[in-house]
Amino acid sequence: MSRMCEQLVAAARYLEAQGMSVQQLRALHHPQKQPETFASTYGYFGKYDELGAKNRLYAERLIFVSDEHRKGSGGIASLVHSALIKWPL
């Protein structure tokens, strides 16, 4: 698993434990036919070494929210909003 995939999975696990909703997780992910869940994030990114452009942006958003939340820079909702401004869908 690549370093970025490892960071993405760790960020998702942290945010789920901190109470991030599935809706908030989905807001960070690119639109797709099947809605994103924490389980699908762990399963998909837990086995891949390379990220395409869309998934790289998802990783950037999720890692940003996790890192900033750990620093106490805001609540999850406001950090999701900030991530979407910094890396638009």
Side-chain angles (χ1 to χ4, degrees):
M1 181 182 342
S2 75
R3 174 83 173 124
M4 184 164 258
C5 287
E6 287 176 12
Q7 289 177 305
L8 186 153
V9 169
R13 290 192 188 283
Y14 168 80
L15 291 166
E16 183 179 28
Q18 296 302 310
M20 178 184 237
S21 71
V22 173
Q23 279 301 103
Q24 290 168 321
L25 178 75
R26 288 178 181 161
L28 297 173
H29 195 267
H30 56 85
Q32 61 180 24
K33 291 179 184 176
Q34 200 162 16
E36 192 69 6
T37 65
F38 285 100
S40 62
T41 293
Y42 304 143
Y44 184 85
F45 295 101
K47 63 183 178 183
Y48 285 97
D49 288 331
E50 296 296 321
L51 295 178
K54 287 182 180 179
N55 285 333
R56 183 167 291 281
L57 290 174
Y58 174 52
E60 295 285 357
R61 290 181 201 109
L62 200 59
I63 293 166
F64 168 81
V65 172
S66 173
D67 287 350
E68 293 302 307
H69 190 268
R70 288 176 197 263
K71 292 179 196 173
S73 298
I76 292 172
S78 67
L79 293 170
V80 166
H81 179 74
S82 296
L84 291 170
I85 290 170
K86 190 169 183 165
W87 296 281
L89 292 174

